[in-house]
Amino acid sequence: MLNPDELSAQTWLDRLDRAAYALPLLFLLSMLETLIIPIPIETILIPWMLSQSRQRWTIATVALAGNITAAALGYWLGALAMEQWGDTLINLFGGVQAYDSFAEQIRSNGFMSVLAVGITPTPLQIAMLAAGAAGYSFMLFLLAVALSRSVRYYGLVLLVHFAGDAAMRLWKRYSRQIGAALLVLAGIWLWFAFAV
C-alpha cells in the first residue's frame, strides 16, 4: 500500500527538484501544452516556482523556450499541412468557427492578434495554424509569441515572488484537490478529443 506522504505534492516537487531530467521534462511539457494539451502549464509552474525560489527565472525561461519551439512547429504545420490535413487539424484544435475567426484577425491585425492570444490562457493552436496557413510573417509571429508568453511566464515569477508564502500555504492545503481536478479535466478532454 502506498504511503500518503509519497503521494503528496511536496514530495513530488522535491523529487522533481532532485531529478536531472526536470528541466528537459519541463521543456517537453511546455511544447506539448502549446501543441496539443489544453491544460495550462501554469498548473505545474506555480507550485514548482513556489518550492524553488532560486530557480524561478530558469523554470520560466525553460517553459518559454519550449513554448516558442512548439509555436514555430505549429506555424510550419499550418503553412505546410493545412491543404492536406486542414480539416482534421482544425477540428482537433477548436473547430472551423474558431479557425475562421482567427484567420480573419490575422489578416486584419496579425501581430496584435497573436500577442493577445499569447497573453491570455487561450490555447495557441488555432493561432499557429492560421498564421502559418495565411502566410503571416514567421519572424513577427515568433516575436509576438515570445513577447506575450514572456509576459505570462515572467509575470508569474513576479506574482509567485510577491505572493509566495500565502500562495504556498494554499497550495499545501489544496494540492490534492487541485491534482484530482486536473486529472479529471485531462480525462474529459482526452475522451472528447479522441473517443467522441
PDB file of all heavy atoms in Angstrom, residues 103-141:
ATOM      1  N   ALA A 103      -8.334  33.423 -38.368  1.00  0.00           N
ATOM      2  CA  ALA A 103      -7.703  33.685 -39.666  1.00  0.00           C
ATOM      3  C   ALA A 103      -8.044  35.092 -40.143  1.00  0.00           C
ATOM      4  O   ALA A 103      -7.187  35.795 -40.695  1.00  0.00           O
ATOM      5  CB  ALA A 103      -8.145  32.639 -40.685  1.00  0.00           C
ATOM      6  N   GLU A 104      -9.277  35.533 -39.897  1.00  0.00           N
ATOM      7  CA  GLU A 104      -9.673  36.898 -40.254  1.00  0.00           C
ATOM      8  C   GLU A 104      -8.918  37.920 -39.409  1.00  0.00           C
ATOM      9  O   GLU A 104      -8.471  38.950 -39.916  1.00  0.00           O
ATOM     10  CB  GLU A 104     -11.191  37.073 -40.083  1.00  0.00           C
ATOM     11  CG  GLU A 104     -11.696  38.445 -40.456  1.00  0.00           C
ATOM     12  CD  GLU A 104     -11.369  38.840 -41.892  1.00  0.00           C
ATOM     13  OE1 GLU A 104     -11.438  37.977 -42.789  1.00  0.00           O
ATOM     14  OE2 GLU A 104     -11.033  40.028 -42.114  1.00  0.00           O
ATOM     15  N   GLN A 105      -8.755  37.627 -38.130  1.00  0.00           N
ATOM     16  CA  GLN A 105      -7.998  38.534 -37.259  1.00  0.00           C
ATOM     17  C   GLN A 105      -6.539  38.641 -37.705  1.00  0.00           C
ATOM     18  O   GLN A 105      -5.953  39.722 -37.661  1.00  0.00           O
ATOM     19  CB  GLN A 105      -8.052  38.049 -35.813  1.00  0.00           C
ATOM     20  CG  GLN A 105      -9.403  38.210 -35.163  1.00  0.00           C
ATOM     21  CD  GLN A 105      -9.402  37.651 -33.748  1.00  0.00           C
ATOM     22  OE1 GLN A 105      -8.379  37.595 -33.090  1.00  0.00           O
ATOM     23  NE2 GLN A 105     -10.570  37.217 -33.293  1.00  0.00           N
ATOM     24  N   ILE A 106      -5.968  37.518 -38.129  1.00  0.00           N
ATOM     25  CA  ILE A 106      -4.570  37.520 -38.610  1.00  0.00           C
ATOM     26  C   ILE A 106      -4.445  38.439 -39.826  1.00  0.00           C
ATOM     27  O   ILE A 106      -3.505  39.207 -39.942  1.00  0.00           O
ATOM     28  CB  ILE A 106      -4.107  36.091 -38.979  1.00  0.00           C
ATOM     29  CG1 ILE A 106      -3.807  35.286 -37.726  1.00  0.00           C
ATOM     30  CG2 ILE A 106      -2.895  36.092 -39.882  1.00  0.00           C
ATOM     31  CD1 ILE A 106      -2.509  35.599 -37.049  1.00  0.00           C
ATOM     32  N   ARG A 107      -5.409  38.340 -40.742  1.00  0.00           N
ATOM     33  CA  ARG A 107      -5.346  39.164 -41.954  1.00  0.00           C
ATOM     34  C   ARG A 107      -5.504  40.649 -41.640  1.00  0.00           C
ATOM     35  O   ARG A 107      -4.872  41.490 -42.251  1.00  0.00           O
ATOM     36  CB  ARG A 107      -6.413  38.709 -42.953  1.00  0.00           C
ATOM     37  CG  ARG A 107      -6.056  37.415 -43.665  1.00  0.00           C
ATOM     38  CD  ARG A 107      -7.021  37.105 -44.787  1.00  0.00           C
ATOM     39  NE  ARG A 107      -8.288  36.551 -44.338  1.00  0.00           N
ATOM     40  CZ  ARG A 107      -8.485  35.280 -43.998  1.00  0.00           C
ATOM     41  NH1 ARG A 107      -7.491  34.432 -44.049  1.00  0.00           N
ATOM     42  NH2 ARG A 107      -9.667  34.867 -43.623  1.00  0.00           N
ATOM     43  N   SER A 108      -6.336  40.979 -40.665  1.00  0.00           N
ATOM     44  CA  SER A 108      -6.594  42.393 -40.392  1.00  0.00           C
ATOM     45  C   SER A 108      -5.619  42.996 -39.376  1.00  0.00           C
ATOM     46  O   SER A 108      -5.282  44.174 -39.493  1.00  0.00           O
ATOM     47  CB  SER A 108      -8.034  42.590 -39.911  1.00  0.00           C
ATOM     48  OG  SER A 108      -8.244  41.926 -38.682  1.00  0.00           O
ATOM     49  N   ASN A 109      -5.177  42.224 -38.405  1.00  0.00           N
ATOM     50  CA  ASN A 109      -4.324  42.780 -37.361  1.00  0.00           C
ATOM     51  C   ASN A 109      -3.458  41.672 -36.760  1.00  0.00           C
ATOM     52  O   ASN A 109      -3.577  41.353 -35.573  1.00  0.00           O
ATOM     53  CB  ASN A 109      -5.187  43.448 -36.285  1.00  0.00           C
ATOM     54  CG  ASN A 109      -4.390  44.372 -35.406  1.00  0.00           C
ATOM     55  OD1 ASN A 109      -3.200  44.598 -35.630  1.00  0.00           O
ATOM     56  ND2 ASN A 109      -5.038  44.898 -34.398  1.00  0.00           N
ATOM     57  N   GLY A 110      -2.594  41.096 -37.564  1.00  0.00           N
ATOM     58  CA  GLY A 110      -1.834  39.900 -37.217  1.00  0.00           C
ATOM     59  C   GLY A 110      -1.057  39.948 -35.923  1.00  0.00           C
ATOM     60  O   GLY A 110      -1.246  39.123 -35.044  1.00  0.00           O
ATOM     61  N   PHE A 111      -0.160  40.921 -35.789  1.00  0.00           N
ATOM     62  CA  PHE A 111       0.733  40.955 -34.641  1.00  0.00           C
ATOM     63  C   PHE A 111      -0.049  41.073 -33.332  1.00  0.00           C
ATOM     64  O   PHE A 111       0.186  40.322 -32.378  1.00  0.00           O
ATOM     65  CB  PHE A 111       1.732  42.112 -34.773  1.00  0.00           C
ATOM     66  CG  PHE A 111       2.798  42.094 -33.718  1.00  0.00           C
ATOM     67  CD1 PHE A 111       3.909  41.285 -33.864  1.00  0.00           C
ATOM     68  CD2 PHE A 111       2.685  42.875 -32.587  1.00  0.00           C
ATOM     69  CE1 PHE A 111       4.902  41.258 -32.896  1.00  0.00           C
ATOM     70  CE2 PHE A 111       3.672  42.857 -31.612  1.00  0.00           C
ATOM     71  CZ  PHE A 111       4.778  42.040 -31.775  1.00  0.00           C
ATOM     72  N   MET A 112      -0.983  42.001 -33.274  1.00  0.00           N
ATOM     73  CA  MET A 112      -1.756  42.206 -32.051  1.00  0.00           C
ATOM     74  C   MET A 112      -2.656  41.011 -31.738  1.00  0.00           C
ATOM     75  O   MET A 112      -2.877  40.690 -30.569  1.00  0.00           O
ATOM     76  CB  MET A 112      -2.578  43.495 -32.143  1.00  0.00           C
ATOM     77  CG  MET A 112      -1.728  44.757 -32.137  1.00  0.00           C
ATOM     78  SD  MET A 112      -0.554  44.858 -30.746  1.00  0.00           S
ATOM     79  CE  MET A 112      -1.663  45.055 -29.377  1.00  0.00           C
ATOM     80  N   SER A 113      -3.141  40.340 -32.764  1.00  0.00           N
ATOM     81  CA  SER A 113      -3.974  39.157 -32.542  1.00  0.00           C
ATOM     82  C   SER A 113      -3.174  38.042 -31.887  1.00  0.00           C
ATOM     83  O   SER A 113      -3.627  37.427 -30.922  1.00  0.00           O
ATOM     84  CB  SER A 113      -4.550  38.658 -33.870  1.00  0.00           C
ATOM     85  OG  SER A 113      -5.367  39.638 -34.447  1.00  0.00           O
ATOM     86  N   VAL A 114      -1.977  37.777 -32.415  1.00  0.00           N
ATOM     87  CA  VAL A 114      -1.129  36.731 -31.838  1.00  0.00           C
ATOM     88  C   VAL A 114      -0.688  37.141 -30.438  1.00  0.00           C
ATOM     89  O   VAL A 114      -0.680  36.323 -29.513  1.00  0.00           O
ATOM     90  CB  VAL A 114       0.092  36.435 -32.735  1.00  0.00           C
ATOM     91  CG1 VAL A 114       1.030  35.431 -32.083  1.00  0.00           C
ATOM     92  CG2 VAL A 114      -0.358  35.929 -34.103  1.00  0.00           C
ATOM     93  N   LEU A 115      -0.348  38.401 -30.270  1.00  0.00           N
ATOM     94  CA  LEU A 115       0.064  38.901 -28.965  1.00  0.00           C
ATOM     95  C   LEU A 115      -1.044  38.705 -27.932  1.00  0.00           C
ATOM     96  O   LEU A 115      -0.789  38.232 -26.816  1.00  0.00           O
ATOM     97  CB  LEU A 115       0.432  40.382 -29.072  1.00  0.00           C
ATOM     98  CG  LEU A 115       1.166  41.019 -27.909  1.00  0.00           C
ATOM     99  CD1 LEU A 115       2.550  40.413 -27.741  1.00  0.00           C
ATOM    100  CD2 LEU A 115       1.291  42.517 -28.134  1.00  0.00           C
ATOM    101  N   ALA A 116      -2.266  39.020 -28.291  1.00  0.00           N
ATOM    102  CA  ALA A 116      -3.395  38.879 -27.366  1.00  0.00           C
ATOM    103  C   ALA A 116      -3.639  37.424 -26.994  1.00  0.00           C
ATOM    104  O   ALA A 116      -3.880  37.104 -25.827  1.00  0.00           O
ATOM    105  CB  ALA A 116      -4.654  39.490 -27.977  1.00  0.00           C
ATOM    106  N   VAL A 117      -3.582  36.521 -27.974  1.00  0.00           N
ATOM    107  CA  VAL A 117      -3.792  35.103 -27.693  1.00  0.00           C
ATOM    108  C   VAL A 117      -2.679  34.562 -26.804  1.00  0.00           C
ATOM    109  O   VAL A 117      -2.907  33.754 -25.921  1.00  0.00           O
ATOM    110  CB  VAL A 117      -3.900  34.284 -29.005  1.00  0.00           C
ATOM    111  CG1 VAL A 117      -3.807  32.799 -28.738  1.00  0.00           C
ATOM    112  CG2 VAL A 117      -5.193  34.610 -29.701  1.00  0.00           C
ATOM    113  N   GLY A 118      -1.465  35.030 -27.010  1.00  0.00           N
ATOM    114  CA  GLY A 118      -0.337  34.544 -26.223  1.00  0.00           C
ATOM    115  C   GLY A 118      -0.365  34.964 -24.770  1.00  0.00           C
ATOM    116  O   GLY A 118       0.153  34.261 -23.912  1.00  0.00           O
ATOM    117  N   ILE A 119      -0.978  36.089 -24.464  1.00  0.00           N
ATOM    118  CA  ILE A 119      -1.026  36.561 -23.076  1.00  0.00           C
ATOM    119  C   ILE A 119      -2.146  35.881 -22.307  1.00  0.00           C
ATOM    120  O   ILE A 119      -1.991  35.534 -21.149  1.00  0.00           O
ATOM    121  CB  ILE A 119      -1.187  38.101 -23.034  1.00  0.00           C
ATOM    122  CG1 ILE A 119       0.101  38.755 -23.537  1.00  0.00           C
ATOM    123  CG2 ILE A 119      -1.510  38.580 -21.623  1.00  0.00           C
ATOM    124  CD1 ILE A 119       0.020  40.253 -23.706  1.00  0.00           C
ATOM    125  N   THR A 120      -3.261  35.666 -22.958  1.00  0.00           N
ATOM    126  CA  THR A 120      -4.403  35.051 -22.286  1.00  0.00           C
ATOM    127  C   THR A 120      -4.204  33.542 -22.209  1.00  0.00           C
ATOM    128  O   THR A 120      -3.373  32.979 -22.904  1.00  0.00           O
ATOM    129  CB  THR A 120      -5.706  35.348 -23.059  1.00  0.00           C
ATOM    130  OG1 THR A 120      -5.628  34.714 -24.343  1.00  0.00           O
ATOM    131  CG2 THR A 120      -5.925  36.842 -23.218  1.00  0.00           C
ATOM    132  N   PRO A 121      -5.002  32.872 -21.373  1.00  0.00           N
ATOM    133  CA  PRO A 121      -4.896  31.411 -21.303  1.00  0.00           C
ATOM    134  C   PRO A 121      -5.500  30.697 -22.520  1.00  0.00           C
ATOM    135  O   PRO A 121      -5.580  29.486 -22.546  1.00  0.00           O
ATOM    136  CB  PRO A 121      -5.684  31.051 -20.046  1.00  0.00           C
ATOM    137  CG  PRO A 121      -5.929  32.306 -19.318  1.00  0.00           C
ATOM    138  CD  PRO A 121      -5.820  33.426 -20.310  1.00  0.00           C
ATOM    139  N   THR A 122      -5.905  31.433 -23.532  1.00  0.00           N
ATOM    140  CA  THR A 122      -6.468  30.837 -24.740  1.00  0.00           C
ATOM    141  C   THR A 122      -5.434  29.935 -25.400  1.00  0.00           C
ATOM    142  O   THR A 122      -4.284  30.323 -25.550  1.00  0.00           O
ATOM    143  CB  THR A 122      -6.871  31.947 -25.735  1.00  0.00           C
ATOM    144  OG1 THR A 122      -7.732  32.857 -25.075  1.00  0.00           O
ATOM    145  CG2 THR A 122      -7.542  31.373 -26.959  1.00  0.00           C
ATOM    146  N   PRO A 123      -5.834  28.714 -25.808  1.00  0.00           N
ATOM    147  CA  PRO A 123      -4.881  27.840 -26.494  1.00  0.00           C
ATOM    148  C   PRO A 123      -4.333  28.496 -27.764  1.00  0.00           C
ATOM    149  O   PRO A 123      -5.052  29.135 -28.514  1.00  0.00           O
ATOM    150  CB  PRO A 123      -5.709  26.601 -26.830  1.00  0.00           C
ATOM    151  CG  PRO A 123      -6.818  26.618 -25.836  1.00  0.00           C
ATOM    152  CD  PRO A 123      -7.115  28.064 -25.574  1.00  0.00           C
ATOM    153  N   LEU A 124      -3.067  28.299 -27.993  1.00  0.00           N
ATOM    154  CA  LEU A 124      -2.359  28.943 -29.097  1.00  0.00           C
ATOM    155  C   LEU A 124      -2.469  28.158 -30.407  1.00  0.00           C
ATOM    156  O   LEU A 124      -2.085  28.657 -31.455  1.00  0.00           O
ATOM    157  CB  LEU A 124      -0.888  29.101 -28.685  1.00  0.00           C
ATOM    158  CG  LEU A 124       0.039  29.976 -29.489  1.00  0.00           C
ATOM    159  CD1 LEU A 124      -0.463  31.404 -29.592  1.00  0.00           C
ATOM    160  CD2 LEU A 124       1.431  29.966 -28.861  1.00  0.00           C
ATOM    161  N   GLN A 125      -3.039  26.951 -30.357  1.00  0.00           N
ATOM    162  CA  GLN A 125      -3.027  26.082 -31.531  1.00  0.00           C
ATOM    163  C   GLN A 125      -3.673  26.707 -32.760  1.00  0.00           C
ATOM    164  O   GLN A 125      -3.109  26.647 -33.857  1.00  0.00           O
ATOM    165  CB  GLN A 125      -3.735  24.738 -31.223  1.00  0.00           C
ATOM    166  CG  GLN A 125      -3.010  23.891 -30.245  1.00  0.00           C
ATOM    167  CD  GLN A 125      -3.465  24.106 -28.811  1.00  0.00           C
ATOM    168  OE1 GLN A 125      -4.156  25.066 -28.485  1.00  0.00           O
ATOM    169  NE2 GLN A 125      -3.061  23.211 -27.933  1.00  0.00           N
ATOM    170  N   ILE A 126      -4.842  27.275 -32.612  1.00  0.00           N
ATOM    171  CA  ILE A 126      -5.537  27.873 -33.756  1.00  0.00           C
ATOM    172  C   ILE A 126      -4.725  29.040 -34.319  1.00  0.00           C
ATOM    173  O   ILE A 126      -4.612  29.209 -35.535  1.00  0.00           O
ATOM    174  CB  ILE A 126      -6.964  28.323 -33.361  1.00  0.00           C
ATOM    175  CG1 ILE A 126      -7.863  27.109 -33.134  1.00  0.00           C
ATOM    176  CG2 ILE A 126      -7.566  29.244 -34.403  1.00  0.00           C
ATOM    177  CD1 ILE A 126      -8.173  26.294 -34.373  1.00  0.00           C
ATOM    178  N   ALA A 127      -4.130  29.847 -33.451  1.00  0.00           N
ATOM    179  CA  ALA A 127      -3.314  30.979 -33.913  1.00  0.00           C
ATOM    180  C   ALA A 127      -2.123  30.497 -34.723  1.00  0.00           C
ATOM    181  O   ALA A 127      -1.779  31.092 -35.751  1.00  0.00           O
ATOM    182  CB  ALA A 127      -2.851  31.810 -32.726  1.00  0.00           C
ATOM    183  N   MET A 128      -1.487  29.419 -34.280  1.00  0.00           N
ATOM    184  CA  MET A 128      -0.327  28.884 -35.004  1.00  0.00           C
ATOM    185  C   MET A 128      -0.729  28.415 -36.396  1.00  0.00           C
ATOM    186  O   MET A 128      -0.077  28.756 -37.386  1.00  0.00           O
ATOM    187  CB  MET A 128       0.295  27.711 -34.231  1.00  0.00           C
ATOM    188  CG  MET A 128       0.860  28.087 -32.895  1.00  0.00           C
ATOM    189  SD  MET A 128       1.648  26.716 -32.001  1.00  0.00           S
ATOM    190  CE  MET A 128       0.392  25.471 -31.971  1.00  0.00           C
ATOM    191  N   LEU A 129      -1.793  27.632 -36.445  1.00  0.00           N
ATOM    192  CA  LEU A 129      -2.248  27.100 -37.743  1.00  0.00           C
ATOM    193  C   LEU A 129      -2.667  28.233 -38.684  1.00  0.00           C
ATOM    194  O   LEU A 129      -2.307  28.238 -39.858  1.00  0.00           O
ATOM    195  CB  LEU A 129      -3.412  26.134 -37.542  1.00  0.00           C
ATOM    196  CG  LEU A 129      -3.116  24.833 -36.813  1.00  0.00           C
ATOM    197  CD1 LEU A 129      -4.409  24.056 -36.576  1.00  0.00           C
ATOM    198  CD2 LEU A 129      -2.108  23.995 -37.583  1.00  0.00           C
ATOM    199  N   ALA A 130      -3.448  29.179 -38.158  1.00  0.00           N
ATOM    200  CA  ALA A 130      -3.950  30.274 -39.004  1.00  0.00           C
ATOM    201  C   ALA A 130      -2.813  31.154 -39.498  1.00  0.00           C
ATOM    202  O   ALA A 130      -2.791  31.553 -40.662  1.00  0.00           O
ATOM    203  CB  ALA A 130      -4.971  31.103 -38.232  1.00  0.00           C
ATOM    204  N   ALA A 131      -1.854  31.457 -38.627  1.00  0.00           N
ATOM    205  CA  ALA A 131      -0.723  32.301 -39.040  1.00  0.00           C
ATOM    206  C   ALA A 131       0.091  31.614 -40.124  1.00  0.00           C
ATOM    207  O   ALA A 131       0.481  32.238 -41.117  1.00  0.00           O
ATOM    208  CB  ALA A 131       0.155  32.637 -37.837  1.00  0.00           C
ATOM    209  N   GLY A 132       0.350  30.325 -39.947  1.00  0.00           N
ATOM    210  CA  GLY A 132       1.110  29.583 -40.949  1.00  0.00           C
ATOM    211  C   GLY A 132       0.362  29.470 -42.260  1.00  0.00           C
ATOM    212  O   GLY A 132       0.928  29.695 -43.337  1.00  0.00           O
ATOM    213  N   ALA A 133      -0.922  29.128 -42.190  1.00  0.00           N
ATOM    214  CA  ALA A 133      -1.722  28.959 -43.411  1.00  0.00           C
ATOM    215  C   ALA A 133      -1.911  30.276 -44.155  1.00  0.00           C
ATOM    216  O   ALA A 133      -1.961  30.296 -45.383  1.00  0.00           O
ATOM    217  CB  ALA A 133      -3.075  28.354 -43.060  1.00  0.00           C
ATOM    218  N   ALA A 134      -2.009  31.375 -43.403  1.00  0.00           N
ATOM    219  CA  ALA A 134      -2.214  32.682 -44.031  1.00  0.00           C
ATOM    220  C   ALA A 134      -0.914  33.267 -44.580  1.00  0.00           C
ATOM    221  O   ALA A 134      -0.931  34.292 -45.254  1.00  0.00           O
ATOM    222  CB  ALA A 134      -2.832  33.650 -43.024  1.00  0.00           C
ATOM    223  N   GLY A 135       0.206  32.637 -44.264  1.00  0.00           N
ATOM    224  CA  GLY A 135       1.485  33.159 -44.736  1.00  0.00           C
ATOM    225  C   GLY A 135       1.923  34.394 -43.975  1.00  0.00           C
ATOM    226  O   GLY A 135       2.715  35.193 -44.474  1.00  0.00           O
ATOM    227  N   TYR A 136       1.409  34.569 -42.758  1.00  0.00           N
ATOM    228  CA  TYR A 136       1.817  35.706 -41.929  1.00  0.00           C
ATOM    229  C   TYR A 136       3.321  35.595 -41.652  1.00  0.00           C
ATOM    230  O   TYR A 136       3.865  34.492 -41.560  1.00  0.00           O
ATOM    231  CB  TYR A 136       1.010  35.711 -40.627  1.00  0.00           C
ATOM    232  CG  TYR A 136       1.310  36.896 -39.749  1.00  0.00           C
ATOM    233  CD1 TYR A 136       0.885  38.164 -40.108  1.00  0.00           C
ATOM    234  CD2 TYR A 136       2.047  36.750 -38.581  1.00  0.00           C
ATOM    235  CE1 TYR A 136       1.177  39.270 -39.319  1.00  0.00           C
ATOM    236  CE2 TYR A 136       2.341  37.841 -37.788  1.00  0.00           C
ATOM    237  CZ  TYR A 136       1.905  39.097 -38.165  1.00  0.00           C
ATOM    238  OH  TYR A 136       2.206  40.182 -37.398  1.00  0.00           O
ATOM    239  N   SER A 137       3.990  36.691 -41.521  1.00  0.00           N
ATOM    240  CA  SER A 137       5.438  36.729 -41.305  1.00  0.00           C
ATOM    241  C   SER A 137       5.851  35.828 -40.130  1.00  0.00           C
ATOM    242  O   SER A 137       5.385  36.003 -39.001  1.00  0.00           O
ATOM    243  CB  SER A 137       5.886  38.162 -41.015  1.00  0.00           C
ATOM    244  OG  SER A 137       7.197  38.170 -40.500  1.00  0.00           O
ATOM    245  N   PHE A 138       6.721  34.859 -40.411  1.00  0.00           N
ATOM    246  CA  PHE A 138       7.186  33.923 -39.396  1.00  0.00           C
ATOM    247  C   PHE A 138       7.907  34.661 -38.262  1.00  0.00           C
ATOM    248  O   PHE A 138       7.694  34.375 -37.083  1.00  0.00           O
ATOM    249  CB  PHE A 138       8.107  32.874 -40.030  1.00  0.00           C
ATOM    250  CG  PHE A 138       8.659  31.871 -39.057  1.00  0.00           C
ATOM    251  CD1 PHE A 138       7.823  30.984 -38.404  1.00  0.00           C
ATOM    252  CD2 PHE A 138      10.016  31.814 -38.804  1.00  0.00           C
ATOM    253  CE1 PHE A 138       8.324  30.058 -37.505  1.00  0.00           C
ATOM    254  CE2 PHE A 138      10.534  30.889 -37.902  1.00  0.00           C
ATOM    255  CZ  PHE A 138       9.690  30.009 -37.255  1.00  0.00           C
ATOM    256  N   MET A 139       8.751  35.619 -38.606  1.00  0.00           N
ATOM    257  CA  MET A 139       9.509  36.347 -37.593  1.00  0.00           C
ATOM    258  C   MET A 139       8.587  37.197 -36.705  1.00  0.00           C
ATOM    259  O   MET A 139       8.769  37.248 -35.490  1.00  0.00           O
ATOM    260  CB  MET A 139      10.596  37.211 -38.237  1.00  0.00           C
ATOM    261  CG  MET A 139      11.677  36.402 -38.927  1.00  0.00           C
ATOM    262  SD  MET A 139      12.381  35.063 -37.914  1.00  0.00           S
ATOM    263  CE  MET A 139      13.217  36.005 -36.670  1.00  0.00           C
ATOM    264  N   LEU A 140       7.600  37.860 -37.301  1.00  0.00           N
ATOM    265  CA  LEU A 140       6.656  38.635 -36.493  1.00  0.00           C
ATOM    266  C   LEU A 140       5.802  37.727 -35.613  1.00  0.00           C
ATOM    267  O   LEU A 140       5.491  38.064 -34.468  1.00  0.00           O
ATOM    268  CB  LEU A 140       5.763  39.503 -37.390  1.00  0.00           C
ATOM    269  CG  LEU A 140       6.425  40.732 -38.000  1.00  0.00           C
ATOM    270  CD1 LEU A 140       5.460  41.452 -38.939  1.00  0.00           C
ATOM    271  CD2 LEU A 140       6.926  41.677 -36.912  1.00  0.00           C
ATOM    272  N   PHE A 141       5.428  36.566 -36.154  1.00  0.00           N
ATOM    273  CA  PHE A 141       4.676  35.587 -35.375  1.00  0.00           C
ATOM    274  C   PHE A 141       5.486  35.166 -34.150  1.00  0.00           C
ATOM    275  O   PHE A 141       4.988  35.192 -33.018  1.00  0.00           O
ATOM    276  CB  PHE A 141       4.324  34.377 -36.244  1.00  0.00           C
ATOM    277  CG  PHE A 141       3.737  33.240 -35.467  1.00  0.00           C
ATOM    278  CD1 PHE A 141       2.419  33.266 -35.048  1.00  0.00           C
ATOM    279  CD2 PHE A 141       4.517  32.133 -35.142  1.00  0.00           C
ATOM    280  CE1 PHE A 141       1.873  32.221 -34.312  1.00  0.00           C
ATOM    281  CE2 PHE A 141       3.986  31.080 -34.420  1.00  0.00           C
ATOM    282  CZ  PHE A 141       2.668  31.125 -34.002  1.00  0.00           C
TER     283      PHE A 141
END
